[in-house]
Amino acid sequence: MASPARRSHPLLPTNGSSGSRSSTPLRAVAPTTKDDPLQPLRTMADRVGKEVEKFAERVDYWHLHKTEDQRHIFHSTLHMVGKFKDLADSTVKELKKQSGAENKGELQKSTRRRIQDMAASTRADREANDNSSSQSVVPSIETSTIPKSTRVQELRHWQTEAATWDLLHLIIQHYHPEPGVDVAAEKRSRLAKVGGAYRYSPNHEIWDRFILEDDEAQEKELILRWLERSARNTESDIESITEQLEDESGKGTNTWTSGFLDTKSQIKQAKRLQSTDKPLPPNYAGLRTRDRTELLVTQLDPDAPGRQKRALEKSDEYYDRALWMVCYEMLRRGYPWEEISEWCRERSEGWRGVSIGAACESHSEGVPNISGPTVGYLYRRMCFYAAKGAKTQYESAVYGMLSGDLKEVIPVCRSWEDHLYAHYNALLLSRFDSYLLKNHSQKISQTLAQRFVFQDAVANLGRWETSSQEVVELLKRQKSTAALSLLPMKLIQGSLIGGTIEELILKVGYSIYSLLKLDNRPTSLMVDPQVLGSFSDTNISSGLQSLSTEKYHEELATEPHALRVLVHIHIVLSKALGAIKSTIVPEVISMDNVIAAYIEFLRITKRFQLIPLYAAQLSSDRTVACLARVLPDIKNEEEQKGIIRLMDQYGIDPVDVVCQNYVLTAQRLYGGDDPKLISKLDLLEHTGDAFYPGKRVKDFLSGLKPGPDEEALIDTLRWQIHLSRDVEQTFSILHSALIYLLRAGHIGAAIQVTTELSVENLSFIKTQALCGYAFDFTVPGTEVQDTTRTLSSPRRTSLRPSDIPSAAEHRSLVLQLRGETGPYFELQQFVHLIHLFGEWREEEDNIIKQQQAGTKRNLMMVKDLFDSIESNLYPLLASFLANPDAQNHEDAARIRHLYIPEIVLAFICVVQSMSQFGTRDTSTKAMDLATLIADEDNSWLQNVFMETGRMTELVDMLALTSRKMLQMVEDGGKPRSIGGKKRGNRGETNRIWDLNVRN
């Protein structure tokens, strides 16, 4: 329970300070405009499904099972990333079932376009490419041929997402080792076991040592394997490509195992015409293609077209190109060498398998050709020259891939992944050849190295240590790959690969603020990173002065899949692994804007129960500020209870959040320079009716319905109901709000607050939580513990028996509760008194109507009201707001000036009216009131009337009341009474005013 010391909430909070435990910048009310700054997020809301809840379930499990053990956090985080991928994979599987035919059709369209481009390319195209800048000649699926089917589009999104979670998993394992592991020592241990450091070490050990020694090389190999998996999972399989190639050829599939069949037929026909069974001479001019446009080869060995500079028949050229295309696709998908060789042998093209290294010593999966005494160095040089002399692009690409010649592979790349694969493959093989020259010179002599110089892709790019980032940035700049690289999911994948994910989150966060900065609602979740000291009292320098963002950062922020993925990557790297450790406040604010935007999206889609989970991933101050701005949207009481429970569950203090929510509302309503406070209160109205002393109580209750602003304040205050264990903040806030409502003249709202949130009602909630049994501590005698309640309470409370207070603790607690709730309880009683005056006027009108109608009057209600007014008034006049703290001193003085004169005069009017309805002796109470005011112990009452200039009004009204008393006596007759009572409690009677009475 809160300590006895009260933390008061000022009536007029100012920017930069508040009465709550968290301070955040506050905003002005948003003007109504036609443009909705939240429209991008609203559009996103229409494009998401149940994956939002499913991802939240994984984060929830991870968050609730976190411990202080860093190893446990590491493994649970990897497990969570694995669950993200499992979710994406299961979604892909389901979408493939739903869109089987459509997906197959789209993949076939893609393959058909590549086949057509392959078939249409000429040798001139190949030669032109050698003299031009490297760029893809194959249109991209992702940019030019977006699937028409929405289900296929969704499938593509989820396939990319599954690949992204796979990528994140391997990036974590590579760059973020398990806590407590001595990475250097482990590396030394593995190097000692792997071998490969000696002259006669097996070639595979040399490769393994190279990968183990060089972290960047290991990263390149991991990414290449990832790209191969992605291609196998998302593109057409080899069987489908082969079938389409056969279909496009226009020939039966049985001819695809017969080699260059049409060219062979032409050669045989020429030999028959020459009546020879010997090979035709290379310069034989009588053999031309069927269209008579080119000379036909005279021999059928694989090198004949290049050696003789002659052509094959068109169908055979297509066949040749098709085979090279399939070989490339198999290499690109990471097929084992044995499978590639077997595929070629099945089509009587075993030489192709031999030429790409499959016939050499066996390779481990994912390892390049490292056979022979030069560990594959000469083989790669051979492939390099073969790529240069190849007659088709796919043949060139195959040999270029085997040799690491980037330029020869680029022309057939059709996606961002293909381009990245080509660069990484070239970099890895170039680095390995450099490693061989440096560390195994006995295998590659200087003479050999000088004769067969390789193209060093690393040297052409830049520094090896930054090659990953440089490749990703290069793909963004190149005209052929820029559009692909800037797609939202490719930005995320590229930043993970290039090690710039922190920069991406930072820029997207700043772009989100720029996108939503026109949202000036007081409950906006966005914070300007450039605002110094937003969440700190420290005078900081903004680190974002030179930060530049691009349009594609905004596009990522408004793409629902990409934003969700980025948010969860941010949680994994920043909140779980601590891999993003920026302490620069503007940067922290900007990156947290990414999560805040996701929370805004959850609010728009009314997924309120998910919000505390993601708010818990923000910095502590931002967590409170964010949730405080969300609370006003949650109206349902059960949802409110659930939100409070979730905050407790995630380690968020609900008291901080609810207090901040109140401060925001108070700031908006009365935190400015003009809080619209009243200077005069009118509970009375003038009347010429002799029945009254010049005035009567107004009918003010009928016009007291709270306005929208007051309703918002009441909604804010209702959250106090759910803070069952808090006393200090709850009643401090209620006290502060009630002071404002009274100073602003919002009587109706004040009545509603004190009715719904009375001390009596709240006491049951607080005592149930604090004691284990509910009771009203305002009732005299409840400081004595009721043992019958303590015996039965364990069955009705979540408190342990040991937590139920003893009799002494119970007494101390009740006294403390009364002390802490006293200021609010005093104002509550005061508001109740005002409410009673309003009810008096309504009942008074009913009595008058009954008199006018000549019906029997029912005076019991009016008597009860009068007794209630009297019993509430005198205690308040004895010490109303007599001891305010320094902070509320001005507010107490203003309330006394506004209300006390009006209340006293209203009571005189009620006394006069009651003396007319009931016993005439009631009129003496007005004189008793005059005596009370004149008492020197009540000088504060006199000062209030003097300071407000209403002392004359008081005297005049008392004089009029005295005259009415004389008139009633002079009118004669027996005094009227209710219940036969003629004297007051102290024997008072109005007969003292009868001039005819003798002693």
Side-chain angles (χ1 to χ4, degrees):
M1 192 183 66
S3 62
R6 170 173 295 281
R7 179 181 290 112
S8 61
H9 290 263
L11 174 63
L12 305 178
T14 57
N15 290 334
S17 66
S18 71
S20 74
R21 284 174 267 181
S22 297
S23 175
T24 58
L26 300 166
R27 301 170 181 271
V29 181
T32 302
T33 61
K34 293 182 179 179
D35 298 326
D36 180 7
L38 294 180
Q39 187 56 44
L41 294 180
R42 299 190 199 283
T43 302
M44 285 173 55
D46 298 330
R47 298 164 56 193
V48 297
K50 294 181 180 179
E51 67 272 9
V52 175
E53 285 81 5
K54 292 180 179 178
F55 269 76
E57 288 175 10
R58 275 65 175 181
V59 178
D60 173 77
Y61 182 87
W62 164 81
H63 186 92
L64 293 179
H65 289 79
K66 279 196 303 184
T67 66
E68 296 299 323
D69 185 348
Q70 294 301 310
R71 287 191 176 188
H72 178 269
I73 293 175
F74 176 81
H75 289 293
S76 65
T77 301
L78 277 180
H79 180 73
M80 178 172 67
V81 174
K83 288 296 183 181
F84 290 161
K85 184 179 185 302
D86 291 344
L87 176 58
D89 286 338
S90 63
T91 306
V92 167
K93 185 177 180 180
E94 184 64 28
L95 288 171
K96 280 185 175 180
K97 289 181 180 178
Q98 296 175 5
S99 60
E102 293 171 306
N103 179 45
K104 185 177 180 181
E106 291 293 340
L107 289 175
Q108 288 176 342
K109 287 180 184 178
S110 169
T111 303
R112 189 177 303 114
R113 278 189 295 272
R114 279 180 281 155
I115 292 172
Q116 291 170 351
D117 290 331
M118 175 270 295
S121 63
T122 64
R123 184 178 291 112
D125 296 331
R126 169 77 182 84
E127 294 170 353
N129 183 68
D130 289 338
N131 300 318
S132 64
S133 60
S134 298
Q135 65 177 17
S136 174
V137 297
V138 184
S140 165
I141 295 176
E142 294 173 271
T143 55
S144 62
T145 57
I146 297 176
K148 294 181 180 180
S149 167
T150 55
R151 284 190 295 188
V152 176
Q153 290 180 28
E154 189 176 3
L155 172 61
R156 297 289 179 268
H157 280 302
W158 279 103
Q159 288 175 325
T160 305
E161 182 170 336
T164 304
W165 295 123
D166 187 19
L167 173 63
L168 178 62
H169 198 279
L170 68 88
I171 289 292
I172 292 173
Q173 291 182 308
H174 180 66
Y175 286 110
H176 307 286
E178 179 182 339
V181 173
D182 188 335
V183 178
E186 184 175 336
K187 187 173 182 178
R188 288 192 298 270
S189 175
R190 293 178 63 190
L191 284 172
K193 298 175 182 178
V194 76
Y198 308 105
R199 180 171 185 175
Y200 297 107
S201 295
N203 289 356
H204 69 86
E205 289 186 2
I206 295 174
W207 172 263
D208 292 342
R209 189 175 190 85
F210 161 67
I211 292 296
L212 189 56
E213 282 184 353
D214 194 328
D215 292 339
E216 287 296 324
Q218 188 176 3
E219 181 262 349
K220 299 295 183 295
E221 186 185 41
L222 288 172
I223 298 301
L224 285 170
R225 303 294 83 77
W226 170 73
L227 289 167
E228 290 166 358
R229 286 195 302 274
S230 298
R232 290 195 297 269
N233 294 334
T234 60
E235 302 294 343
S236 296
D237 56 41
I238 296 302
E239 291 74 15
S240 298
I241 295 174
T242 304
E243 288 175 4
Q244 283 193 259
L245 284 167
E246 293 172 349
D247 291 342
E248 292 291 328
S249 70
K251 293 187 176 183
T253 56
N254 59 324
T255 65
W256 275 66
T257 58
S258 304
F260 300 146
L261 189 60
D262 289 342
T263 303
K264 184 190 297 184
S265 175
Q266 288 285 74
I267 294 174
K268 285 184 177 180
Q269 177 65 19
K271 291 171 71 175
R272 282 195 295 269
L273 292 175
Q274 294 293 323
S275 300
T276 181
D277 57 357
K278 296 181 179 180
L280 295 174
N283 58 353
Y284 180 66
L287 189 59
R288 303 185 72 85
T289 58
R290 286 176 179 170
D291 59 8
R292 316 302 295 172
T293 58
E294 294 182 89
L295 290 172
L296 198 66
V297 295
T298 60
Q299 298 172 352
L300 291 175
D301 62 280
D303 293 329
R307 185 180 65 252
Q308 295 183 350
K309 306 298 183 186
R310 292 193 175 201
L312 297 170
E313 282 293 349
K314 297 298 182 184
S315 58
D316 292 331
E317 278 200 4
Y318 173 87
Y319 171 71
D320 183 54
R321 293 177 185 180
L323 293 176
W324 283 121
M325 179 180 175
V326 174
C327 287
Y328 167 81
E329 295 293 348
M330 295 177 80
L331 285 173
R332 172 65 182 83
R333 285 160 174 73
Y335 274 62
W337 300 98
E338 292 81 0
E339 289 190 33
I340 298 175
S341 179
E342 180 63 25
W343 189 89
C344 292
R345 282 198 301 270
E346 288 175 355
R347 287 154 182 79
S348 302
E349 297 286 334
W351 69 269
R352 296 180 195 264
V354 173
S355 71
I356 61 177
C360 300
E361 67 181 47
S362 61
H363 305 283
S364 300
E365 187 173 351
V367 177
N369 190 325
I370 53 174
S371 60
T374 62
V375 200
Y377 182 87
L378 276 182
Y379 171 78
R380 285 185 288 280
R381 303 291 75 74
M382 178 197 75
C383 289
F384 175 80
Y385 291 111
K388 298 298 182 185
K391 60 184 181 297
T392 67
Q393 286 178 331
Y394 276 101
E395 180 184 0
S396 180
V398 166
Y399 288 121
M401 190 178 293
L402 295 171
S403 66
D405 187 357
L406 174 66
K407 186 178 180 181
E408 302 302 329
V409 181
I410 289 296
V412 301
C413 293
R414 58 188 175 78
S415 68
W416 180 82
E417 289 87 349
D418 286 347
H419 284 274
L420 182 63
Y421 189 94
H423 280 86
Y424 263 45
N425 179 70
L427 287 169
L428 182 61
L429 293 180
S430 294
R431 183 69 173 181
F432 181 57
D433 284 337
S434 297
Y435 175 83
L436 292 175
L437 292 173
K438 180 180 179 180
N439 296 282
H440 294 275
S441 57
Q442 74 280 3
K443 293 182 177 292
I444 305 171
S445 66
Q446 186 176 3
T447 302
L448 187 65
Q450 289 175 347
R451 287 184 60 190
F452 300 100
V453 178
F454 70 94
Q455 297 291 325
D456 190 347
V458 177
N460 294 337
L461 182 67
R463 295 176 61 247
W464 171 247
E465 292 74 15
T466 59
S467 56
S468 298
Q469 181 177 351
E470 290 176 11
V471 167
V472 172
E473 292 302 317
L474 177 65
L475 295 181
K476 288 182 183 178
R477 294 192 303 268
Q478 284 183 345
K479 184 178 179 180
S480 58
T481 55
L484 297 172
S485 301
L486 300 180
L487 293 172
M489 289 301 292
K490 294 298 176 279
L491 281 173
I492 294 174
Q493 292 177 350
S495 66
L496 286 171
I497 293 169
T500 58
I501 187 66
E502 181 175 357
E503 179 183 346
L504 179 66
I505 296 172
L506 177 65
K507 290 187 174 183
V508 171
Y510 192 76
S511 295
I512 287 172
Y513 168 74
S514 301
L515 194 66
L516 304 180
K517 64 183 178 182
L518 295 180
D519 177 18
N520 289 323
R521 296 172 303 151
T523 56
S524 172
L525 305 183
M526 291 297 104
V527 178
D528 186 356
Q530 301 284 15
V531 175
L532 302 185
S534 293
F535 295 99
S536 172
D537 295 331
T538 308
N539 184 18
I540 57 175
S541 297
S542 174
L544 304 180
Q545 298 293 341
S546 59
L547 182 66
S548 61
T549 60
E550 305 294 340
K551 182 68 175 176
Y552 53 77
H553 291 122
E554 287 188 6
E555 292 172 353
L556 190 158
T558 55
E559 208 290 312
H561 286 279
L563 179 62
R564 174 175 44 77
V565 169
L566 188 65
V567 165
H568 290 85
I569 290 176
H570 183 21
I571 292 173
V572 167
L573 296 179
S574 300
K575 314 303 176 180
L577 300 179
I580 299 176
K581 302 177 180 179
S582 177
T583 57
I584 301 173
V585 175
E587 291 185 358
V588 173
I589 292 173
S590 185
M591 287 188 281
D592 276 354
N593 274 345
V594 176
I595 298 178
Y598 192 67
I599 293 173
E600 185 70 77
F601 157 76
L602 294 175
R603 175 162 65 171
I604 289 172
T605 57
K606 298 193 181 303
R607 291 176 166 94
F608 297 120
Q609 299 299 318
L610 305 184
I611 290 177
L613 172 63
Y614 289 95
Q617 313 311 318
L618 298 166
S619 57
S620 56
D621 288 330
R622 189 75 180 270
T623 295
V624 174
C626 180
L627 285 172
R629 286 159 170 79
V630 172
L631 295 190
D633 293 302
I634 307 173
K635 307 295 185 182
N636 182 274
E637 185 176 350
E638 289 304 314
E639 283 189 339
Q640 291 178 347
K641 291 179 181 178
I643 293 295
I644 295 293
R645 284 195 299 269
L646 288 170
M647 282 192 265
D648 282 327
Q649 200 172 8
Y650 298 133
I652 304 168
D653 190 347
V655 177
D656 280 344
V657 175
V658 173
C659 289
Q660 180 74 344
N661 179 28
Y662 165 71
V663 171
L664 289 169
T665 305
Q667 178 82 23
R668 180 169 63 86
L669 294 183
Y670 47 91
D673 297 331
D674 181 20
K676 297 180 180 178
L677 305 178
I678 62 172
S679 58
K680 188 176 183 299
L681 179 71
D682 292 320
L683 294 181
L684 304 176
E685 63 184 5
H686 289 280
T687 177
D689 194 332
F691 192 79
Y692 304 99
K695 289 186 177 182
R696 67 181 298 199
V697 176
K698 290 175 63 175
D699 179 14
F700 61 85
L701 287 184
S702 59
L704 291 184
K705 183 179 180 181
D709 287 343
E710 292 72 53
E711 286 286 1
L713 178 60
I714 294 170
D715 285 342
T716 298
L717 296 176
R718 287 191 181 110
W719 281 93
Q720 305 298 327
I721 295 173
H722 308 301
L723 302 180
S724 58
R725 297 186 62 83
D726 176 73
V727 176
E728 178 185 357
Q729 291 295 319
T730 294
F731 289 100
S732 177
I733 285 176
L734 291 173
H735 180 260
S736 174
L738 213 49
I739 284 178
Y740 160 69
L741 292 174
L742 290 172
R743 287 198 61 183
H746 300 308
I747 306 299
I751 292 172
Q752 188 170 339
V753 168
T754 55
T755 301
E756 293 186 26
L757 301 167
S758 67
V759 176
E760 294 85 350
N761 290 342
L762 293 175
S763 67
F764 288 99
I765 297 172
K766 305 298 182 185
T767 53
Q768 180 66 47
L770 297 171
C771 301
Y773 44 89
F775 61 95
D776 181 0
F777 57 73
T778 65
V779 176
T782 51
E783 63 274 12
V784 178
Q785 191 176 51
D786 185 348
T787 56
T788 59
R789 290 177 175 270
T790 61
L791 293 175
S792 60
S793 61
R795 296 193 298 268
R796 302 194 303 257
T797 180
S798 59
L799 287 180
R800 294 174 299 181
S802 59
D803 292 332
I804 296 176
S806 64
E809 290 171 336
H810 172 94
R811 178 181 178 82
S812 175
L813 177 61
V814 170
L815 295 178
Q816 183 181 3
L817 289 172
R818 288 174 180 172
E820 292 188 349
T821 61
Y824 174 65
F825 186 68
E826 183 180 36
L827 285 180
Q828 173 187 305
Q829 296 303 96
F830 183 66
V831 172
H832 180 57
L833 176 61
I834 297 173
H835 191 196
L836 289 174
F837 280 118
E839 291 181 342
W840 171 270
R841 170 58 192 262
E842 291 179 352
E843 192 59 29
E844 184 184 67
D845 287 343
N846 290 335
I847 299 297
I848 293 173
K849 289 178 181 177
Q850 291 171 10
Q851 286 179 334
Q852 292 173 347
T855 59
K856 184 178 179 180
R857 300 179 301 171
N858 182 3
L859 299 177
M860 294 307 295
M861 179 66 74
V862 77
K863 182 183 183 303
D864 290 342
L865 278 173
F866 182 82
D867 291 343
S868 295
I869 290 172
E870 185 178 19
S871 62
N872 277 273
L873 175 66
Y874 283 104
L876 288 170
L877 292 182
S879 60
F880 180 60
L881 297 178
N883 299 302
D885 57 37
Q887 193 170 23
N888 290 320
H889 181 77
E890 179 186 351
D891 297 327
R894 289 301 305 158
I895 290 175
R896 285 199 299 266
H897 287 178
L898 281 170
Y899 286 88
I900 292 301
E902 201 77 357
I903 291 294
V904 170
L905 297 176
F907 182 67
I908 295 173
C909 294
V910 168
V911 167
Q912 179 62 33
S913 181
M914 185 63 190
S915 66
Q916 300 290 335
F917 295 145
T919 175
R920 292 169 179 171
D921 288 342
T922 306
S923 59
T924 62
K925 296 182 182 296
M927 299 303 103
D928 293 338
L929 184 60
T931 302
L932 178 67
I933 295 172
D935 193 318
E936 61 181 10
D937 291 337
N938 294 319
S939 58
W940 73 273
L941 269 172
Q942 302 164 23
N943 292 334
V944 167
F945 275 95
M946 294 297 294
E947 290 167 1
T948 57
R950 304 192 71 177
M951 182 62 81
T952 302
E953 188 177 354
L954 172 64
V955 172
D956 289 345
M957 186 170 285
L958 287 171
L960 289 172
T961 302
S962 301
R963 182 186 301 173
K964 290 297 296 182
M965 293 171 68
L966 287 172
Q967 288 176 354
M968 284 190 291
V969 173
E970 291 172 359
D971 288 343
K974 294 181 179 180
R976 289 172 292 174
S977 64
I978 300 176
K981 195 173 181 180
K982 299 181 179 180
R983 292 181 180 270
N985 293 332
R986 291 175 293 176
E988 66 272 20
T989 174
N990 67 353
R991 295 185 67 193
I992 192 174
W993 297 90
D994 188 350
L995 300 181
N996 298 316
V997 173
R998 297 180 181 181
N999 294 331

